[in-house]
Amino acid sequence: MPKIRVLVVDDAVLVRSRVSKILSSDPQIEVVGVAANGRIALAKIPQVNPDVVLLDVEMPEMNGLETLAALRPIYPHLPVIMFSTSTHAGATATIEALSLGASDYATKPSNLGSVEAANQHIRQELIPKIKLFGAGIPAVSPLNAMIANAVVLPISKKTAPVDVVAIGVSTGGPNALATLLSEIPADFSVPILIVQHMPPMFTKLLAERLSSKCKIPVEEAVDGVPLKAGQVWLAPGDFHLIVQRQGNQVCLAVHQAPPENSCRPSVDVLLRSVAQVYGARAIAVILTGMGQDGLHGCQCIREVGGQVLAQDEASSVVWGMPGFVVNAGLADRIVPLEQMAGEIMQRIHPVQRSGL
């Protein structure tokens, strides 16, 4: 197979050199060019014909956001991965870049204690995403051992009233959440819990951005807060989110138990707690994302009689997380993103049809 061609765009010579060396060490990747700012990058794209652009956020002359805005009309399908610092400014710009059409993002290493730890961070953050977007490697395979061994449950019947909606999402999530949540009405009658795979600070900024665009409030989850209808809580970066029953209330709890599926927060952790607390009165929604986080959690939801909805492949940026759920036979319905809010509301407040 031909190598994946990558253009590295960053104003720091050391970053360009280190990232290029690490990426080039993988036999499936070739760094075909580097650029110190967006203006140079735009000139190089037709020359080097990259499969993926790795784009820094903060650069002189033309920064990452300006570059992305100029690039998208010309190259609407060229994958762009933002490579940002874990600072407030970097996180804010990254969230904005995702809304402008960036394919994904990765964070630069910071305070990891050694050069090798920093290099390993770059390898783990960048190489899987470059391979996914650059080579079209399937995000989910029906022959995967986890799928082959999964327990396939019969489709559940909509009998129990719904008291909570729990959403799991990763790659492509910020835009998917904005699409879904913006359709939820102000009088929505149950709480919504979300695990979006993102680091600290990014989740808080994402919650603020979503809240500004939605009819219901969206906040980063806080330990001990009681759940209430018409409120959205987003798991904080680097913390698992669960629900716990305390007397006659259900409250949020966050903790830092080990990652699951290499994720913290993990969708599986949230869904297990939702299944335990709410049983059949829960809907799990699995949206676009890499990997299989959420697969076992959806099995827990189905085993207690709850419902599972999965985003369809056509509207997903990456049909990994929903694909695993679908191929395991756990989805009550596969739903296009633009129809997901309506599907959720129909299951919470079914339309009564006379004569049926």
Side-chain angles (χ1 to χ4, degrees), residues 230-252:
Q231 170 80 47
V232 181
W233 283 276
L234 187 68
D238 203 32
F239 283 83
H240 292 306
L241 172 63
I242 64 171
V243 291
Q244 297 178 330
R245 190 168 293 281
Q246 298 180 7
N248 61 355
Q249 288 186 322
V250 177
C251 297
L252 302 175

Side-chain angles (χ1 to χ4, degrees), residues 227-275:
L227 272 70
K228 61 181 180 180
Q231 170 80 47
V232 181
W233 283 276
L234 187 68
D238 203 32
F239 283 83
H240 292 306
L241 172 63
I242 64 171
V243 291
Q244 297 178 330
R245 190 168 293 281
Q246 298 180 7
N248 61 355
Q249 288 186 322
V250 177
C251 297
L252 302 175
V254 298
H255 62 78
Q256 288 188 302
E260 294 195 21
N261 308 301
S262 302
C263 301
R264 190 169 66 196
S266 164
V267 182
D268 278 342
V269 172
L270 172 63
L271 293 185
R272 280 202 306 269
S273 74
V274 168

Side-chain angles (χ1 to χ4, degrees), residues 5-64:
R5 301 166 62 83
V6 180
L7 174 63
V8 177
V9 187
D10 199 293
D11 63 315
V13 175
L14 179 61
V15 173
R16 294 199 302 272
S17 174
R18 176 184 288 187
V19 169
S20 296
K21 183 177 180 180
I22 291 170
L23 296 183
S24 297
S25 68
D26 189 290
Q28 297 179 40
I29 297 174
E30 177 185 8
V31 176
V32 293
V34 296
N37 61 52
R39 200 172 304 282
I40 297 171
L42 290 172
K44 281 200 170 185
I45 288 174
Q47 299 172 10
V48 303
N49 190 29
D51 298 309
V52 178
V53 174
L54 183 62
L55 184 59
D56 186 19
V57 171
E58 301 172 64
M59 297 180 292
E61 293 191 50
M62 180 179 265
N63 65 32

Side-chain angles (χ1 to χ4, degrees), residues 201-233:
M201 192 180 319
F202 286 70
T203 48
K204 180 175 177 58
L205 292 169
L206 176 61
E208 291 173 355
R209 184 179 184 86
L210 290 172
S211 193
S212 71
K213 296 177 176 294
C214 299
K215 303 177 188 72
I216 56 175
V218 183
E219 297 179 11
E220 193 177 49
V222 177
D223 194 73
V225 172
L227 272 70
K228 61 181 180 180
Q231 170 80 47
V232 181
W233 283 276

Side-chain angles (χ1 to χ4, degrees), residues 59-138:
M59 297 180 292
E61 293 191 50
M62 180 179 265
N63 65 32
L65 292 177
E66 294 166 338
T67 305
L68 187 63
L71 178 154
R72 269 292 166 251
I74 309 170
Y75 307 100
H77 304 298
L78 177 61
V80 176
I81 299 173
M82 307 305 295
F83 196 37
S84 66
T85 56
S86 296
T87 63
H88 187 278
T92 301
T94 300
I95 297 296
E96 178 65 23
L98 293 171
S99 72
L100 290 174
S103 307
D104 204 355
Y105 73 96
T107 57
K108 294 182 178 181
S110 62
N111 303 319
L112 295 182
S114 71
V115 171
E116 180 50 38
N119 291 346
Q120 183 63 16
H121 174 88
I122 293 172
R123 279 191 288 269
Q124 292 176 342
E125 281 278 296
L126 288 179
I127 289 178
K129 295 178 180 182
I130 287 171
K131 288 181 177 180
L132 177 71
F133 287 105
I137 297 173

